[in-house]
Amino acid sequence: MLLTQIPQDFPVRRHRLMAAHPSAVFVLPAHPHWIRNSDVHHPYRQDSCFYYLTGFDEPKSCVVLVPSQTGSDRMILFVQPKDSEKEIWEGERYGVEGAKKVFQADEAYPIEELGSKLPELFLGAEEVFYRMGFSAEMDQIVLTALESQRSRQGRTGRSLLSVQDPRGPVGELRLYKSLEELIALRRACQISALAHRRVMQEVRPGMREFEVEALVDYICRKEGCQRLGYGSIVANGKNAACLHYHSHRDVLREGELLLMDAGGEYNYYTADITRTFPVGRHFSKVQAQMYDWVLKAQKEAIAMARPGVTLPEIHQRVVEVMIEGFLCLGLLEGSPQEIYKRKQFRRFYPHSTSHWLGMDVHDSGLYMKNGQPRPLEPGMVFTIEPGFYVQPSDFEVPREYQNIGIRIEDDVLITKTGCEILTQGVPKERDEIEQLRA
Ligand code: GLY
Ligand code: MN
Ligand code: MN
């Protein structure tokens, strides 16, 4: 179903971007529609930066933003024109008229005209924001237009056009979530929390990992998410030690733990939640000991999350707690300082604690500014996800610790005074989890 109107957030974002870069032109193509085989495509999802600025979700399109010093910024949309024959197969399109009427483009043209129109749109600009390497076809169009413009620009005395990645400035805007964005993100987190809770109740020994994957997908979509925000990780026992495990062919076994990392996407904003729970009813003694160290590290990290603190500071505290745990359980020996300095903790905790979260699970926005980790500010959203993994090849670890991988992941929003945990709705205390499993 085609929209007749879109929210006002999109023009506001474009205006902010262009006001910050008055002598630039932005060229952002839609995400390519990947072919799976012959004329069958993978499911389509728009590029996040393109969507953030336009709200337009069709492939084979491109937005060009042309700022103006006199207050008449322009958005030009290049789209697939209406085509009744093609629309029988691919669905209804907005076409050139819809691009203007619904998406408020100042001008709109068929996508085939991009190459011929770009040189004139580059006139007078000093820099072009375009993500080189996005697609060979688009690179060719933009490079040709650049060269044609550069050859003329020299004679005007103006500097030659430089090319930069738009993910820099657009990512900077996306890093600070607006109230409207937070509504979508909170909904994604609520639905995903509910899905995690239900999966915790429904999992039984003998189910297959891909069955659990289907269950979390179903619940998220049934509750209103359009899709999941990333490929879920559903890992039984030792599979959890593989950080991006995805084969999902294994069977869930009583006595082992199940790690599920899954998040629904609601109106282009995704949650990112991990919980680890027993496939049976209870954590074993060793599983519980390991779990409690991860939970302690996660809680301490959440307690630190407030304006002014940096992500590396939070990660360092998590690592300190985990090292204490590894020493306490006898899995490492030596002084905590040496273990930290030599990075020996990476044997059991090889990833970092946080990443930005928003339209993409690993969201845009720089982690460093002026060579320094950036202090957290209100409106930033990120994950806190410590883990404890024993690699199946690590035979030096006592037998009872083998085949165990644990991660606990929540999503937090920095507020003026601290943080809001967006994924509160999924239990992580052991007794609460065991109650659900009962
Ligand atoms: N779900 C991917 C991650 O946690 O980073
Ligand atoms: Mn994550
Ligand atoms: Mn995750």
Side-chain angles (χ1 to χ4, degrees):
M1 193 181 64
L2 296 185
L3 303 171
T4 52
Q5 214 182 346
I6 56 162
Q8 281 310 299
D9 316 350
F10 299 104
V12 170
R13 292 169 187 169
R14 291 195 294 272
H15 180 69
R16 287 182 60 202
L17 182 68
M18 289 191 266
H21 300 272
S23 48
V25 171
F26 290 83
V27 181
L28 285 98
H31 202 283
H33 199 173
W34 301 121
I35 287 175
R36 179 175 159 160
N37 64 284
S38 65
D39 58 347
V40 176
H41 289 77
H42 284 285
Y44 188 70
R45 196 246 189 215
Q46 188 55 278
D47 172 70
S48 295
C49 283
F50 181 96
Y51 190 85
Y52 180 82
L53 294 168
T54 62
F56 192 67
D57 65 359
E58 289 183 12
K60 293 188 195 148
S61 46
C62 183
V63 61
V64 181
L65 301 180
V66 185
S68 146
Q69 265 107 345
T70 57
S72 50
D73 294 345
R74 282 185 299 157
M75 166 166 81
I76 299 107
L77 268 178
F78 293 86
V79 300
Q80 301 177 99
K82 297 289 288 177
D83 182 329
S84 53
E85 181 63 26
K86 290 224 170 87
E87 286 175 58
I88 291 174
W89 294 90
E90 298 168 9
E92 218 180 336
R93 300 171 176 177
Y94 288 98
V96 167
E97 283 314 307
K100 287 192 271 197
K101 215 166 131 199
V102 181
F103 296 90
Q104 301 171 21
D106 299 290
E107 296 166 39
Y109 304 101
I111 184 71
E112 291 75 20
E113 294 181 25
L114 179 65
S116 61
K117 290 269 187 307
L118 263 190
E120 65 184 89
L121 295 172
F122 286 168
L123 267 181
E126 286 174 11
E127 50 188 351
V128 170
F129 282 92
Y130 170 72
R131 179 174 159 189
M132 208 57 85
F134 200 70
S135 84
E137 192 185 353
M138 205 50 86
D139 284 1
Q140 193 57 52
I141 291 173
V142 174
L143 280 174
T144 307
L146 269 174
E147 262 325 288
S148 124
Q149 189 48 29
R150 278 170 173 163
S151 62
R152 285 189 257 168
Q153 195 119 324
R155 265 173 276 147
T156 65
R158 281 200 289 265
S159 58
L160 292 179
L161 282 167
S162 66
V163 182
Q164 300 192 53
D165 195 320
R167 285 174 297 179
V170 183
E172 192 61 22
L173 293 181
R174 282 173 53 192
L175 185 55
Y176 300 89
K177 272 68 182 176
S178 67
L179 292 178
E180 292 76 18
E181 291 180 282
L182 287 173
I183 290 171
L185 202 44
R186 282 200 182 92
R187 190 85 192 105
C189 289
Q190 282 161 0
I191 292 175
S192 305
L194 181 147
H196 271 263
R197 253 195 341 260
R198 288 225 194 121
V199 167
M200 260 188 211
Q201 288 172 311
E202 304 236 343
V203 154
R204 296 288 177 270
M207 283 169 82
R208 283 145 317 168
E209 291 166 334
F210 58 71
E211 218 178 317
V212 180
E213 180 187 11
L215 188 58
V216 72
D217 189 346
Y218 170 72
I219 299 167
C220 283
R221 291 183 194 226
K222 179 148 173 34
E223 297 299 324
C225 286
Q226 290 84 2
R227 57 180 86 83
L228 294 189
Y230 55 92
S232 306
I233 299 169
V234 182
N236 181 78
K238 68 176 177 356
N239 303 330
C242 172
L243 299 177
H244 289 167
Y245 176 71
H246 62 264
S247 74
H248 293 176
R249 285 189 293 262
D250 212 350
V251 173
L252 275 48
R253 284 175 292 270
E254 175 99 39
E256 299 198 313
L257 295 179
L258 183 72
L259 180 155
M260 184 171 88
D261 182 343
E265 182 182 293
Y266 183 84
N267 287 355
Y268 275 84
Y269 289 83
T270 187
D272 183 8
I273 305 179
T274 308
R275 288 294 184 269
T276 311
F277 57 93
V279 172
R281 290 183 175 206
H282 303 286
F283 286 87
S284 73
K285 187 161 167 251
V286 163
Q287 288 166 351
Q289 284 171 336
M290 291 171 67
Y291 188 91
D292 288 349
W293 281 107
V294 182
L295 187 58
K296 177 174 161 61
Q298 209 237 12
K299 285 182 177 171
E300 289 209 16
I302 291 176
M304 284 176 73
R306 62 180 170 280
V309 174
T310 67
L311 293 182
E313 284 166 349
I314 291 178
H315 179 58
Q316 180 171 341
R317 184 63 200 134
V318 162
V319 169
E320 284 166 2
V321 174
M322 292 313 299
I323 289 175
E324 198 188 330
F326 304 147
L327 287 168
C328 203
L329 298 176
L331 297 177
L332 290 180
E333 287 176 356
S335 82
Q337 293 77 13
E338 273 301 297
I339 292 171
Y340 186 81
K341 211 170 91 195
R342 293 172 188 265
K343 298 193 188 309
Q344 287 162 332
F345 61 86
R346 292 181 61 90
R347 178 167 161 202
F348 301 113
Y349 181 39
H351 59 77
S352 56
T353 301
S354 302
H355 55 80
W356 306 131
L357 181 74
M359 298 183 80
D360 293 310
V361 64
H362 293 172
D363 209 35
S364 58
L366 297 175
Y367 287 83
M368 307 271 287
K369 229 176 165 181
N370 306 321
Q372 298 293 327
R374 65 195 303 168
L376 294 171
E377 293 173 63
M380 291 176 168
V381 176
F382 59 95
T383 64
I384 298 189
E385 48 179 308
F388 190 160
Y389 316 89
V390 179
Q391 293 304 320
S393 57
D394 193 343
F395 294 114
E396 285 172 29
V397 169
R399 214 180 137 65
E400 63 269 28
Y401 290 96
Q402 284 171 6
N403 295 342
I404 298 176
I406 294 166
R407 177 162 66 253
I408 305 172
E409 176 174 29
D410 279 306
D411 306 335
V412 302
L413 160 71
I414 294 296
T415 60
K416 280 195 187 128
T417 52
C419 78
E420 174 187 331
I421 307 171
L422 301 172
T423 44
Q424 290 268 36
V426 213
K428 58 186 175 188
E429 298 296 335
R430 266 196 300 114
D431 56 349
E432 284 179 285
I433 293 178
E434 288 184 344
Q435 258 173 29
L436 274 183
R437 294 298 300 140

